[in-house]
Amino acid sequence: MRRLMLLVPALLAGLATTACDDFASPAALTKPTILAVVAEPPLVQPGAQATLTTVVVDADGVLAGLATRHALIETYPGTAPMGRLEDDPTGARYIAPDPVPAQPSGAPPLDSVRIEVDTPIGTLTAVKVMAVLPVTASNPTVAQLTIGGTDALTQTITMTRGASVMIEVASEPPATEDTRYAWYSSAGEIEYFQSTPTELVAGDEAGARMLYVVIRDGQGGVAWRAVPIQVE
């Protein structure tokens, strides 16, 4: 079991690098983007189930009511998916097998769910990897988010055009060496968009903008937050 748990983060990270085929640059969020696919819970016990929710955003906010399709696909070439899917009001339910079938070469028991979302600019695609293990797990939460030293979880954020501020996020439970970050924004440029803290440089045009952050714990858990920013 310990060996499987050690292998899961590396495999999830490797698959996540190609999970979505239409990610906009976080420095210029100009079109609909799949921000995250959240499984609750992130790890599924044999015979249990998890709900899948796909978060799609654009420069103005979270997009709701989009037609979404889910399908199980091969995780390991030549090995059929082991679980099944059912429709759910939030998106879909993944139901894990019990017992879990043997995997090739002792690999961790993983299923992959392909998600297709119809947006005004076309169909976006992502892949969510589900690990089936006899353990309990929870998604992290965004515990702290500051913009220019201001608490963005409780206060309205205003930026001056062209101004530079530091942005920082923290999770609960605290980050580990497996934790990864991603910032997305229509408010300006974020050169180091996979770091925290990092710098946001506001654009030259005034108006209502958005900042998004995603935290991935490396064990399948995901947290995200959307913050409106007024650029003046």
Side-chain angles (χ1 to χ4, degrees):
M1 176 56 62
R2 177 173 172 79
R3 176 176 177 272
L4 290 179
M5 290 299 295
L6 290 173
L7 282 171
V8 167
L11 283 167
L12 292 178
L15 289 165
T17 59
T18 57
C20 296
D21 61 13
D22 200 9
F23 268 78
S25 167
L29 187 54
T30 58
K31 57 186 178 181
T33 298
I34 295 178
L35 189 74
V37 181
V38 183
E40 182 59 53
L43 300 179
V44 190
Q45 296 189 30
Q49 56 186 269
T51 59
L52 298 176
T53 303
T54 301
V55 182
V56 183
V57 303
D58 65 7
D60 300 317
V62 178
L63 301 178
L66 301 176
T68 305
R69 296 172 296 280
H70 302 78
L72 285 166
I73 60 174
E74 289 183 354
T75 299
Y76 305 111
T79 301
M82 56 186 175
R84 59 190 178 90
L85 293 173
E86 291 183 355
D87 292 333
D88 184 88
T90 66
R93 282 193 306 273
Y94 170 76
I95 302 172
D98 188 12
V100 177
Q103 302 299 297
S105 302
L110 305 178
D111 254 340
S112 296
V113 182
R114 184 182 65 224
I115 302 106
E116 296 178 335
V117 184
D118 295 335
T119 77
I121 65 163
T123 300
L124 305 181
T125 303
V127 172
K128 178 67 173 180
V129 179
M130 304 298 300
V132 181
L133 296 168
V135 297
T136 58
S138 300
N139 285 299
T141 60
V142 176
Q144 184 178 18
L145 176 57
T146 58
I147 300 177
T150 300
D151 183 358
L153 299 180
T154 61
Q155 300 185 50
T156 301
I157 301 298
T158 301
M159 291 186 64
T160 302
R161 285 175 289 177
S164 172
V165 297
M166 296 304 294
I167 54 178
E168 185 172 5
V169 68
S171 63
E172 180 59 42
T176 70
E177 62 181 10
D178 296 321
T179 302
R180 298 293 181 266
Y181 306 93
W183 297 90
Y184 303 79
S185 183
S186 59
E189 296 184 358
I190 308 172
E191 182 176 359
Y192 300 105
F193 59 86
Q194 294 180 311
S195 300
T196 188
T198 190
E199 184 181 38
L200 167 63
V201 180
D204 295 329
E205 296 184 3
R209 302 289 185 262
M210 294 297 300
L211 174 72
Y212 307 98
V213 64
V214 182
I215 303 173
R216 294 182 171 86
D217 65 8
Q219 301 286 344
V222 179
W224 67 278
R225 196 65 179 247
V227 176
I229 296 177
Q230 185 66 34
V231 179
E232 300 179 342

